Amino acid sequence: MPTTNASNSQPSSDPQPIDANEIPNRFDHAEAASQIAAAWDAAGCSHAEVNPDKPPFCVVIPPPNVTGALHLGHGLNNTLQDIVIRTKRMQGFETLWMPGTDHAGIATQAVVERRLKEDENLSRHDLGRDELVKRIWEWKAQYETRIIGQLKRMGCSCDWQRLRFTLDDTCAAAVRATFFDLFGQRMIYRGKRLVNWDTFLQTAVSNDEVENVTQKGHFWHFSYPVIDAKPGEPTSVEIATTRPETMLGDTAVAVHPNPEKAFDKVESELRAKLADASDKEKADVEKQLEQLAERRTKMLPGLITLRDMAADGRMLKLPLTDREIPLIADEWAKPELGSGCVKITPAHDPNDYEVGLRQDLPMINILNTDGTLNEEGGKYAGLNMKQARKAVVADLDELDLLGEVEDREIELPHSDRSKTPIEPFLADQWFVKMDTLAQSAMDAVSDERVKIFPERYRKGYLDWLGEKRDWPVSRQLWWGHRIPIWSVTGIDAKAAKDLVAKLQKLPAATTGELKEQTETLDDGTMGVFVCLRGEDAAAQAEIESLGLVQDPDVLDTWFSSALWPHSTLGWPEKTPELDYFYPTATLITSRDIITLWVARMVLMGLNNVGKIPFDQVFIHPKILDGLGETMSKSKGNGVDPNDVIDKFGPDALRYGLARIATDTQDVRMPVQYECPHCGKLIDQTKKNRSAKTVDCKFCKKTFSTQWAESESDKAHSRAPVVSERFETARNFVNKLWNASRFTLMNMEGYEAKPLEVASLPLEDRWLLSRLATVTDQVTKGIETYKFAEASRILYDFAWDEFCSFYVEIAKPRSADEATRATTQVVMAHGLDTLLRLLHPMMPFVTESIWSYVGKAAPVRGVPVPAESSSMLMTAAWPQADASHHDPAIERQFAEFQEVVGAIRSIRASQNIAPREIVPVAIRTSESSQELLSPMKTSLESLANCEVITLGPDAVAFETDAPLSLSSIDIDVHVDLEKFIDVEAELARLEKLKDQVIKQITGKESKLNNENFVARAPEEVVAKERESLAELKQQLASVKGDIERLQAKSG
RNA sequence: GGGCGAUUAGCUCAGUUGGUUAGAGCGCUACGUUCACACCGUAGAGGUCACAGAUUCGAAUUCUGUAUCGCCCA
C-alpha cells in the first residue's frame, strides 16, 4: 500500500529490496492521497514562520468568494500557485502561501436572498438585518468549508493555520484603519451621484458589475407644447426617447447651440471616412452623406429658430405634469439624430446628468428604491417602470402629443448580479478620490517595480487607472464592512459647531481615533460626519448619544480585497510577518480582475504600507467550456475539481491543468456527464448544463447534477462532470508509477557508491546530460510562468527518454552481474531527480514513490551519493550539474536512437512478428563503430534483433532490406531471408524513393536560385548543399536496392 | 466605436531570434499481451498553418488589410 514514510520511524539507511507484489501496478490515488496529505500536515510542511535564516517567499491566494464551490478555473489558478510555492519551498525559501476566502458582498447576499425567496418566500426585509446577516454567515461557513476541502484535495500547500476571511476581525481592523486614514486625508468624500441602481437587490452596483444587453425597443416621438410661442415660432417641440416614462423627471429640453456647426462637423467626419473607405463601404458612406444633406436642408432653419428661442428663455409645458421646463442650448443635443432636440432627465440618465450639472438644472428623482415611481410621478406614483411606460404613452396619445414610434435596438444595462435592468438613480454615496492613488499605482507598473506577465496586460491596467475615476465605495447592502461613519444632517451652523466641540472632547478624539468633518449640504443645511478608527463600543455609544447615526451602507467588497496582501499579514499592526513576508513575491490571477483587484491592491499597498504588494503579477489563461464560454457559477458550466479528482486523481488534475497553461490563449475544455447508471459519457450542452436532472441518452435513466437541490432531484444518483482532457495526465501518472515500480523491483542488492562520470557508458552519460538539461529547462520554465512548457518537457523526458530508452536499456544491464550495480545507482539517481522535478506538479504520486525509493535506495546520487530526506515535499530542488551536460554525448545517443528506429521501421513494413529476432548488419564509420559496439546488447534488446556485423565492413545480405541514414553516414541492413515479402518491401522502397526525389527537387530548385545562393548566409547554403549530396546518395542507394530486389524476384 | 487576443491535423493545443520534410495528446489504421505499464508497446495515415496582399533569397513566424470568434472598455 502506498504511503509516505513520514509516519514511519527514522528511515533506515540500509537498502531494503522491494518485492514486486509490494507495489500494485496502479497508483491508488483515492487511498494514498488522504494519507499523504495527513503526513504533510502532521509534519507541518506547509506552515511558514518568520525565519531570518532563510529568504522569504510569499504568495497570497486570490481569495475565492464564498458564493459557491470552486470550478476548474479556480483549479487552474490554485494549481499554478501551488506549483510555484512547492518549487520555492524545495529551493530553500521560507515559503508562505496565505489562504483565505472573500465575503463577496453583493454576490453572496444575492444568492442567500434568492434562496430565501425560493425556499421560504421571504424577502430580506421580512427577516431583518441581523437575521439575514446571520443566515449569510451560515452560508459562508458551509461554502468556506467546501472550498477549503476542494483546495486541500487538490494538494494546495497553503498555511492553513493562517486562514483569513475578508470579513474577519483582522481584515476588519485593516479596513477600518484604511478608511479612517483616507477620511483624514480628505480622500473620502460624500456625494450625490448617479449610480447604477439594481432595483431587485436595491443597491448600487459598480460599472464593472453591469453588462449591456441589446434588446428590441422603440423610439417614441413626443411633442412638448411651447409656452407663449411668438409669431413664427413653432408651438411645440418634438423630442424622441427610448424611455418615455422618464419624462416625468424631465427638467429641460435641449437643442444644439450651433446646429450649423454641428452639421458641418458630422459632414467633415463622414468625408474623412469616405476618403479611406474601401469600395464596399463607400456606397454606404455616400448614402449617409446624402441623407445628412437632405436633413440639413429640411431641419436646419427649425433648429436655428429653436436655438434662438432657447437663448430667449422660452419655456415648455411638460405634459402630464404641471411643470414648466426651459428650452436650453447644450451640445449634448445632436442635430443629426431624431428631431434634433433631446429631453433632459438629469436624475435618470448619465448623459443628462452631465447636462444637468453644466446647465445647473434641477434633478428630480422619480423613483423609489424598489423601482416604482415615487410621489414625483404624480398620478403614476406606485407603478413600476413597465406599467408607467404604458400609461404615459397611452396618456400622451390621448392628448395627441404622441408622434411616430420607431422600432429600434437599444442597449439596456443589466445588473450582473440579479440579471434585472439597471436604473440610473441619484443616491448619496461615499467615494474614494483616485487621482493620487491611481497615479501611484500607475507609476509602480510603469517603472516596473511591479511586473505584469504576459506584458500585454500592462496596457489595460494603465489605461484603466489613467482615467482616475473616483471609486464609489458605498453598497446598499447588509453583508459587508459597515461604513464607519456616523452623521447628523439638517442642522444649522451653530448646532454643527456645538456638536463638533462636544465631539472633540471625547476620549477617542483626544487619542486621534476619531475624526470629524462638517459640510454644507445641497439644501443649505449643515451635516457633521464622524469616522472612528477602530471597533470602539464606548466611543460609538458616546457618538450615538449625541444624536449621530451610523451610515447603513457597507463598503464595496473590493475595498477589503484591496488590502489583502497586507491585511492578511496583520497590518495595521507592525507584525513580524508583515516585516518579513511583505512585499509578497508574486500574484497569480485571472485577467478579469486586473483592474478591479490587482490595481487596487497596488494603490492601497502603497498608501497603507508604503510599498508595492508584490513584485510580479502573472495572468493565467481562462478555462472555457466546449462552446468557448468562460466557466462561471451563474452559467452552470463550472466543473467541480472534485469530480475530476474522483475519476483521475489529484495529480492528473494538476498536471492536466498545468499542461494547458500557455500564455497565448484560453483553453477550451469540452466536458461530459458520466452517467452513474451505465458509465457512458453525455456531452454537456447549453441546454443541459444548468439542469438539475438529465436523462441519460444511452440507458434512459435519470441522473442528477451539481445543481440538484430538492430531495426528489437528489434522489437520483449524481453524475460527475468529467473531461477526457485529463486522460493524458492520468496516463502519465500511471506511466511514472510503473517506471518507478520497475526501477524499484530491480534494486535488489543496491549499494550506494560514488561514480566517476567520465568512465560511465554512453547511455548513463546521456541520461546525466539530459537530466542536467531538463533540470535547467524546468526550473527556468516554472520561474518564468511557462507552466505548459515545463510540464511538456517533463512529460517528454520521462516518457520518451527515461522510460522508452533508459529503462529499456537498463533491462539487459540489470540482468548482467557486471553492469548491475552501476545501473542501479544511475537509475535510482535518475528517478530521484525526476521525482523532485515532477513533485510541484504531481505531489501525491511523487511523494508516494519517494517513500519506496527511500527504502530501496536510501542513499543515492551521482556522482556522490547522499542520504535523501524522508519527505519529498521538503527535499531539495535539483541543481543542474553543468559538468554532466554534454552535447556530444547527446548527439551520439541520437545516432543510436536512429539506428533502432531504422530497424523497427523495416520490421514494421515487412510485417515481421514482434517476437521474431531479425539478423542485421550495420555499416558505419570507424568512429561510430567504436561508439555503437558497446551498445550492441541494448540495440538487440530494443529492436529485437541480432547484430551480425557492425562497422565499415558490414555489407548487404543476399535478401536484404536496407535503410540508409545518410545524414549520419550509417546504412542499416536487415536479412529478410526468412521473412521476405517482396511486394511489401518494394512498396516501401518505392515510397521512400518518391519522398527522397521530392526533397531533392525542392533542394535543387532552392540551390538553383541565384538569389538564395548569393544572399542567404553561407552556412545555410552550405548546409543545403551538404544535405542535397546526402539525399542524392540515398537516392542512388534506394534505386540500387529496388533493382536488386526486382532482379531477385525475377 | 476603441483596445487586447485568437484562427495550425477529425478534436484540444504547442511551435524559441524568419532557415531541412510544421509537432504533441486524444481519436483513427495495422500489428502485438517476452513478467514496469493495454491507463501499454511498435509502426503508420492525417495539415493550402482563416483569407488577400506586402517585405524577404526564404514567411505558420514580420507588416497591411479582410473575415469569423472571444474578452475588456465606452
Side-chain angles (χ1 to χ4, degrees):
Chain A
M1 183 179 67
T3 173
T4 143
N5 57 14
S7 50
N8 299 350
S9 53
Q10 201 57 23
S12 160
S13 55
D14 291 330
Q16 298 161 22
I18 291 185
D19 184 69
N21 298 325
E22 197 177 328
I23 312 178
N25 70 353
R26 295 274 166 86
F27 174 54
D28 182 359
H29 60 81
E31 170 111 30
S34 57
Q35 290 178 28
I36 291 167
W40 287 333
D41 218 24
C45 292
S46 57
H47 179 62
E49 282 294 342
V50 172
N51 181 352
D53 299 336
K54 284 182 173 184
F57 188 90
C58 179
V59 170
V60 291
I61 200 169
N65 76 47
V66 292
T67 316
L70 304 183
H71 55 65
L72 283 183
H74 305 98
L76 174 65
N77 175 252
N78 289 293
T79 294
L80 300 185
Q81 289 176 78
D82 199 42
I83 289 171
V84 170
I85 282 286
R86 283 180 184 268
T87 304
K88 290 290 166 181
R89 190 180 289 119
M90 291 174 75
Q91 286 176 342
F93 289 82
E94 184 69 23
T95 308
L96 170 60
W97 185 9
M98 176 68 75
T101 52
D102 188 289
H103 69 280
I106 293 179
T108 315
Q109 183 169 326
V111 242
V112 173
E113 279 193 67
R114 198 158 54 222
R115 179 65 71 85
L116 192 65
K117 186 78 190 163
E118 279 170 16
D119 292 356
E120 302 170 51
N121 198 25
L122 293 175
S123 79
R124 74 170 193 263
H125 301 286
D126 297 330
L127 220 55
R129 186 163 186 151
D130 291 347
E131 181 57 24
L132 182 86
V133 168
K134 199 180 130 212
R135 296 275 188 112
I136 306 175
W137 274 106
E138 283 164 13
W139 177 279
K140 174 260 175 185
Q142 185 188 340
Y143 275 93
E144 181 183 61
T145 307
R146 174 96 189 271
I147 287 164
I148 288 162
Q150 287 176 307
L151 291 173
K152 283 187 173 170
R153 270 200 84 188
M154 285 170 51
C156 293
S157 59
C158 301
D159 187 348
W160 298 110
Q161 295 175 34
R162 297 184 185 270
L163 184 67
R164 295 253 71 88
F165 177 52
T166 52
L167 214 50
D168 67 19
D169 291 344
T170 305
C171 291
V175 164
R176 291 288 288 260
T178 305
F179 195 92
F180 186 78
D181 168 57
L182 294 174
F183 184 82
Q185 293 188 59
R186 296 247 159 195
M187 287 167 77
I188 293 226
Y189 68 91
R190 182 171 163 275
K192 260 201 192 317
R193 280 294 176 93
L194 206 56
V195 296
N196 303 303
W197 192 259
D198 182 325
T199 57
F200 178 81
L201 293 169
Q202 302 199 19
T203 177
V205 297
S206 71
N207 283 335
D208 313 302
E209 292 156 336
V210 173
E211 52 181 5
N212 285 314
V213 179
T214 305
Q215 287 189 341
K216 280 199 176 129
H218 302 285
F219 211 37
W220 278 275
H221 294 249
F222 300 154
S223 292
Y224 288 178
V226 177
I227 297 170
D228 297 335
K230 298 201 171 147
E233 289 179 0
T235 54
S236 71
V237 176
E238 188 187 327
I239 52 95
T241 179
T242 56
R243 308 260 337 246
E245 66 282 6
T246 62
M247 59 85 64
L248 298 168
D250 284 0
T251 55
V253 168
V255 61
H256 198 280
N258 192 342
E260 190 160 16
K261 206 169 137 197
F263 271 120
D264 287 348
K265 192 175 164 217
V266 176
E267 192 184 323
S268 67
E269 278 168 6
L270 275 176
R271 293 213 179 276
K273 196 171 166 192
L274 185 66
D276 48 33
S278 65
D279 291 348
K280 216 171 90 188
E281 293 168 333
K282 244 175 197 145
D284 190 43
V285 178
E286 272 164 3
K287 199 174 158 203
Q288 286 180 43
L289 271 167
E290 239 170 71
Q291 287 171 343
L292 186 73
E294 200 178 310
R295 196 179 166 88
R296 181 182 191 128
T297 322
K298 209 170 95 190
M299 296 183 59
L300 189 56
L303 289 172
I304 290 174
T305 308
L306 287 169
R307 188 261 322 269
D308 295 342
M309 288 163 67
D312 199 32
R314 205 74 71 249
M315 300 295 281
L316 308 174
K317 169 84 174 67
L318 184 63
L320 311 181
T321 70
D322 48 15
R323 288 213 309 278
E324 292 182 2
I325 59 172
L327 181 65
I328 58 165
D330 190 279
E331 291 186 352
W332 169 238
K334 301 268 178 282
E336 73 276 14
L337 286 179
S339 67
C341 295
V342 60
K343 67 195 261 308
I344 305 295
T345 323
H348 297 285
D349 180 277
N351 292 306
D352 293 3
Y353 177 73
E354 296 296 324
V355 178
L357 289 180
R358 267 202 299 274
Q359 306 282 348
D360 205 16
L361 297 172
M363 305 201 176
I364 299 176
N365 175 20
I366 60 168
L367 278 185
N368 292 313
T369 53
D370 65 357
T372 58
L373 293 185
N374 63 20
E375 67 281 4
E376 294 284 355
K379 68 170 185 167
Y380 305 97
L383 300 182
N384 67 27
M385 290 308 240
K386 209 171 157 189
Q387 296 162 332
R389 173 177 303 179
K390 212 170 158 186
V392 164
V393 170
D395 290 350
L396 284 171
D397 198 12
E398 185 83 2
L399 295 171
D400 210 18
L401 296 172
L402 179 64
E404 196 187 346
V405 181
E406 301 173 51
D407 285 334
R408 190 168 164 180
E409 292 221 317
I410 50 171
E411 292 249 303
L412 201 57
H414 276 67
S415 167
D416 200 27
R417 300 298 172 192
S418 67
K419 307 294 171 197
T420 56
I422 287 288
E423 293 295 341
F425 185 81
L426 210 52
D428 282 323
Q429 301 285 312
W430 290 99
F431 290 83
V432 176
K433 264 202 165 88
M434 289 295 280
D435 45 4
T436 55
L437 289 175
Q439 188 60 49
S440 72
M442 290 171 75
D443 293 345
V445 165
S446 303
D447 64 22
E448 302 208 326
R449 275 173 291 149
V450 175
K451 292 196 189 68
I452 299 178
F453 304 100
E455 260 189 44
R456 63 174 181 275
Y457 291 113
R458 276 169 58 114
K459 188 172 159 50
Y461 171 101
L462 291 171
D463 287 352
W464 185 83
L465 281 172
E467 293 181 24
K468 298 186 178 172
R469 274 182 304 192
D470 288 348
W471 177 13
V473 288
S474 300
R475 290 300 127 95
Q476 287 64 35
L477 289 174
W478 292 348
W479 175 243
H481 293 280
R482 186 92 176 254
I483 292 180
I485 292 215
W486 284 258
S487 63
V488 170
T489 55
I491 56 177
D492 61 27
K494 178 167 184 311
K497 207 176 161 192
D498 292 347
L499 183 56
V500 168
K502 282 182 197 162
L503 286 165
Q504 283 172 345
K505 282 189 196 128
L506 293 177
T510 51
T511 56
E513 296 275 301
L514 178 156
K515 280 178 185 155
E516 98 297 318
Q517 289 173 14
T518 307
E519 265 181 50
T520 306
L521 308 175
D522 293 346
D523 59 5
T525 65
M526 304 293 283
V528 174
F529 300 88
V530 168
C531 184
L532 279 183
R533 186 170 196 270
E535 291 275 356
D536 182 344
Q540 201 170 315
E542 283 163 342
I543 298 174
E544 286 172 2
S545 72
L546 290 172
L548 287 96
V549 177
Q550 186 171 11
D551 194 302
D553 293 350
V554 299
L555 287 167
D556 180 9
T557 300
W558 297 110
F559 193 94
S560 53
S561 322
L563 315 180
W564 190 244
H566 54 279
S567 66
T568 49
L569 291 169
W571 187 90
E573 300 299 320
K574 289 188 182 355
T575 60
E577 281 85 356
L578 189 66
D579 191 43
Y580 179 70
F581 287 114
Y582 191 93
T584 68
T586 182
L587 180 83
I588 298 182
T589 188
S590 166
R591 84 173 91 84
D592 35 14
I593 50 178
I594 294 174
T595 54
L596 294 178
W597 191 47
V598 179
R600 285 169 178 163
M601 278 192 286
V602 175
L603 60 89
M604 283 300 198
L606 288 166
N607 183 71
N608 288 354
V609 191
K611 290 187 211 162
I612 51 163
F614 27 70
D615 302 322
Q616 304 195 344
V617 177
F618 174 63
I619 305 294
H620 60 71
K622 304 200 64 158
I623 305 228
L624 313 177
D625 65 10
L627 303 160
E629 296 183 37
T630 62
M631 282 192 182
S632 79
K633 287 162 186 169
S634 52
K635 274 183 206 156
N637 59 351
V639 176
D640 187 340
N642 281 352
D643 282 356
V644 178
I645 292 173
D646 287 340
K647 189 173 167 71
F648 299 106
D651 298 308
L653 170 76
R654 297 168 59 109
Y655 182 81
L657 289 170
R659 192 179 167 80
I660 58 183
T662 61
D663 65 13
T664 49
Q665 63 180 331
D666 294 339
V667 179
R668 271 189 198 217
M669 174 95 55
V671 295
Q672 295 93 30
Y673 291 108
E674 188 178 61
C675 175
H677 308 293
C678 66
K680 292 233 170 66
L681 299 173
I682 297 104
D683 285 348
Q684 192 180 70
T685 61
K686 237 177 191 152
K687 218 169 158 185
N688 67 21
R689 70 186 182 188
S690 55
K692 294 179 166 71
T693 63
V694 175
D695 294 330
C696 174
K697 66 176 182 179
F698 300 103
C699 68
K700 310 296 178 200
K701 289 183 187 155
T702 304
F703 57 78
S704 65
T705 72
Q706 60 177 324
W707 308 112
E709 279 168 10
S710 70
E711 289 307 315
S712 61
D713 287 341
K714 280 183 172 170
H716 300 287
S717 308
R718 179 170 167 276
V721 176
V722 298
S723 172
E724 60 184 24
R725 299 207 58 194
F726 290 100
E727 279 176 14
T728 304
R730 189 263 323 266
N731 295 350
F732 182 44
V733 170
N734 185 250
K735 187 72 179 178
L736 178 72
W737 178 259
N738 276 291
S740 308
R741 180 169 178 257
F742 171 83
T743 303
L744 291 160
M745 282 159 47
N746 282 282
M747 282 293 144
E748 179 138 24
Y750 173 86
E751 212 174 307
K753 59 170 186 180
L755 293 178
E756 197 192 325
V757 173
S759 67
L760 290 173
L762 176 67
E763 62 271 22
D764 287 343
R765 293 173 63 196
W766 167 75
L767 184 74
L768 294 174
S769 177
R770 291 295 301 138
L771 281 170
T773 307
V774 166
T775 298
D776 270 340
Q777 288 174 328
V778 170
T779 307
K780 191 166 161 244
I782 292 174
E783 283 173 351
T784 55
Y785 310 109
K786 308 271 185 209
F787 299 101
E789 194 183 334
S791 50
R792 201 199 68 239
I793 286 166
L794 281 166
Y795 182 99
D796 291 347
F797 170 72
W799 203 305
D800 298 337
E801 300 188 310
F802 188 70
C803 291
S804 294
F805 280 92
Y806 194 80
V807 169
E808 289 304 324
I809 292 172
K811 285 176 181 174
R813 279 182 59 179
S814 295
D816 184 344
E817 280 303 322
T819 50
R820 184 177 171 85
T822 302
T823 306
Q824 287 176 334
V825 170
V826 178
M827 196 154 58
H829 171 67
L831 181 60
D832 174 284
T833 305
L834 187 55
L835 291 173
R836 291 178 202 251
L837 292 173
L838 278 168
H839 180 261
M841 293 175 193
M842 314 195 328
F844 294 98
V845 67
T846 51
E847 187 72 80
S848 183
I849 296 166
W850 186 262
S851 70
Y852 287 114
V853 181
K855 279 187 211 163
V859 178
R860 55 186 185 268
V862 174
V864 185
E867 185 139 352
S868 70
S869 81
S870 69
M871 222 180 257
L872 176 54
M873 181 168 167
T874 48
W877 187 251
Q879 293 278 338
D881 189 330
S883 71
H884 290 179
H885 184 64
D886 190 339
I889 289 283
E890 293 196 21
R891 260 199 317 278
Q892 289 169 341
F893 196 80
E895 269 190 32
F896 167 76
Q897 287 173 308
E898 275 202 60
V899 173
V900 172
I903 301 169
R904 284 174 172 174
S905 161
I906 294 170
R907 295 184 63 115
S909 63
Q910 281 292 311
N911 294 320
I912 298 172
R915 62 175 65 215
E916 298 282 1
I917 295 171
V918 293
V920 299
I922 303 163
R923 189 208 55 78
T924 71
S925 64
E926 276 176 24
S927 64
S928 291
Q929 179 189 27
E930 201 176 317
L931 174 80
L932 290 172
S933 292
M935 304 282 298
K936 201 176 120 191
T937 319
S938 305
L939 190 60
E940 290 179 335
S941 144
L942 279 166
N944 204 28
C945 63
E946 185 193 356
V947 177
I948 307 294
T949 46
L950 172 71
D953 304 332
V955 290
F957 295 101
E958 184 155 337
T959 313
D960 190 58
L963 194 55
S964 172
L965 306 171
S966 48
S967 63
I968 51 172
D969 190 26
I970 289 179
D971 298 320
V972 174
H973 301 273
V974 174
D975 184 358
L976 291 186
E977 191 58 48
K978 290 200 300 200
F979 312 104
I980 186 69
D981 176 345
V982 177
E983 289 293 310
E985 183 59 11
L986 273 175
R988 178 181 76 88
L989 292 171
E990 286 292 350
K991 193 178 156 194
L992 192 60
K993 189 180 86 178
D994 289 347
Q995 279 173 356
V996 174
I997 288 173
K998 206 172 136 196
Q999 285 174 56
I1000 288 175
T1001 315
K1003 298 248 181 250
E1004 276 178 339
S1005 76
K1006 202 171 191 179
L1007 284 162
N1008 287 339
N1009 181 344
E1010 280 174 35
N1011 271 328
F1012 172 70
V1013 180
R1015 305 173 99 143
E1018 256 178 61
E1019 63 217 54
V1020 173
V1021 178
K1023 214 165 139 194
E1024 288 296 308
R1025 289 219 165 93
E1026 196 180 316
S1027 145
L1028 177 63
E1030 280 164 7
L1031 285 166
K1032 281 182 168 166
Q1033 191 196 331
Q1034 194 181 346
L1035 180 62
S1037 146
V1038 171
K1039 278 180 172 166
D1041 296 334
I1042 291 173
E1043 278 166 25
R1044 229 182 22 251
L1045 202 59
Q1046 279 168 338
K1048 188 175 167 73
S1049 68

